[in-house]
Amino acid sequence: MSFRKVVRQSKFRHVFGQPVKNDQCYEDIRVSRVTWDSTFCAVNPKFLAVIVEASGGGAFLVLPLSKTGRIDKAYPTVCGHTGPVLDIDWCPHNDEVIASGSEDCTVMVWQIPENGLTSPLTEPVVVLEGHTKRVGIITWHPTARNVLLSAGCDNVVLIWNVGTAEELYRLDSLHPDLIYNVSWNHSGSLFCSACKDKSVRIIDPRRGTLVAEREKAHEGARPMRAIFLADGKVFTTGFSRMSERQLALWDPGVRRFCLA
């Protein structure tokens, strides 16, 4: 008589993680409770930035990576927005430059002191105004210096020249509903987006054209996300009609956009 194995064998079955000590963690940070689908943090080789609760506007902390342990409630913040901050992103070409988008419909770019903040930072280097509703997505171009993408609840994607504070491209007719996220490909020639209409789109921003589109990438009504991979494929996370989590890998191809 043969018995069926109840437990599936796995090489990770007896692998356990070891939590780091408290003095190596960041503690007592009042993370923002704004109802927006965001990571609320960003990190680079020098600093950790975290969007925090703030009265009378929006703010985020910028901490040197070495400053672990309990964070004083009086620690200085970046606090120039008049509405809650929704997204932040470090510049890939300068570890001391960070951009933020807010409910006040503006995008601000900040220069962080080399050794971190010693007093509240209220004056941005650049203020970018072009959205008519709150700005929930900020992402720097991966290869071109001073090029920044922002997307707002007005369903508009703007690409900025931060050095001159000018709009390079305005894409206002490609998304009929709320944009959940945007991701550049590795060269920065295209970006993909996930939208509330359940479609994943690949867009050429310089031409303002739709390169490929996958309708109903995930059937569920909850938010989904899409990112470009190094090989040009698109990875998405979403939900089924029964609210079960789903992962999918898509191949845009030349004339198709199907499961890889």
Side-chain angles (χ1 to χ4, degrees):
M1 180 181 290
S2 62
F3 291 93
R4 217 167 123 190
K5 291 183 179 179
V6 177
V7 179
R8 181 174 62 86
Q9 295 298 321
S10 170
K11 62 181 179 179
F12 302 110
R13 183 180 174 192
H14 299 293
V15 175
F16 300 94
Q18 181 67 38
V20 297
K21 297 179 180 178
N22 288 344
D23 60 356
Q24 295 177 298
C25 298
Y26 301 91
E27 290 191 297
D28 205 22
I29 295 177
R30 299 169 291 107
V31 179
S32 174
R33 291 179 291 181
V34 173
T35 56
W36 182 254
D37 188 21
S38 170
T39 57
F40 294 105
C41 67
V43 67
N44 69 9
K46 292 184 66 174
F47 298 107
L48 167 70
V50 183
I51 302 173
V52 295
E53 282 291 306
S55 58
F60 58 94
L61 280 173
V62 174
L63 304 169
L65 294 185
S66 59
K67 186 173 177 56
T68 55
R70 188 171 297 278
I71 307 301
D72 192 333
K73 291 183 179 180
Y75 193 87
T77 60
V78 180
C79 51
H81 284 286
T82 58
V85 177
L86 301 179
D87 197 20
I88 48 178
D89 192 35
W90 288 103
C91 176
H93 308 290
N94 187 334
D95 288 341
E96 294 162 11
V97 173
I98 188 171
S100 58
S102 168
E103 283 193 4
D104 63 12
C105 306
T106 65
V107 177
M108 294 185 180
V109 180
W110 310 85
Q111 178 78 40
I112 305 300
E114 182 178 356
N115 298 318
L117 297 177
T118 56
S119 61
L121 182 59
T122 60
E123 293 296 328
V125 177
V126 179
V127 179
L128 305 174
E129 298 178 323
H131 290 282
T132 58
K133 293 185 179 180
R134 57 183 179 171
V135 182
I137 298 170
I138 295 290
T139 180
W140 290 91
H141 194 281
T143 58
R145 187 179 293 272
N146 287 337
V147 176
L148 178 68
L149 180 151
S150 64
C153 292
D154 50 8
N155 308 335
V156 174
V157 175
L158 295 178
I159 298 176
W160 304 89
N161 181 339
V162 173
T164 60
E166 295 176 336
E167 289 182 19
L168 293 176
Y169 306 103
R170 172 179 285 263
L171 309 175
D172 55 6
S173 60
L174 297 176
H175 297 91
D177 212 329
L178 181 67
I179 304 168
Y180 285 141
N181 90 293
V182 171
S183 173
W184 291 101
N185 66 358
H186 278 223
S187 66
S189 60
L190 304 170
F191 68 81
C192 68
S193 64
C195 184
K196 192 176 181 180
D197 67 353
K198 303 180 184 179
S199 289
V200 174
R201 295 173 173 86
I202 295 179
I203 295 168
D204 183 335
R206 289 172 293 185
R207 297 182 179 180
T209 57
L210 189 64
V211 175
E213 180 178 6
R214 176 68 189 194
E215 297 179 355
K216 295 185 178 179
H218 297 277
E219 294 283 352
R222 298 173 68 181
M224 63 179 182
R225 286 183 171 265
I227 61 170
F228 257 117
L229 303 182
D231 60 1
K233 292 184 175 64
V234 175
F235 181 77
T236 63
T237 64
F239 296 86
S240 69
R241 289 182 178 179
M242 304 301 293
S243 292
E244 299 168 323
R245 292 187 181 274
Q246 292 182 331
L247 308 176
L249 182 63
W250 306 91
D251 184 359
V254 178
R255 295 183 180 179
R256 60 195 175 91
F257 198 172
C258 60
L259 280 171

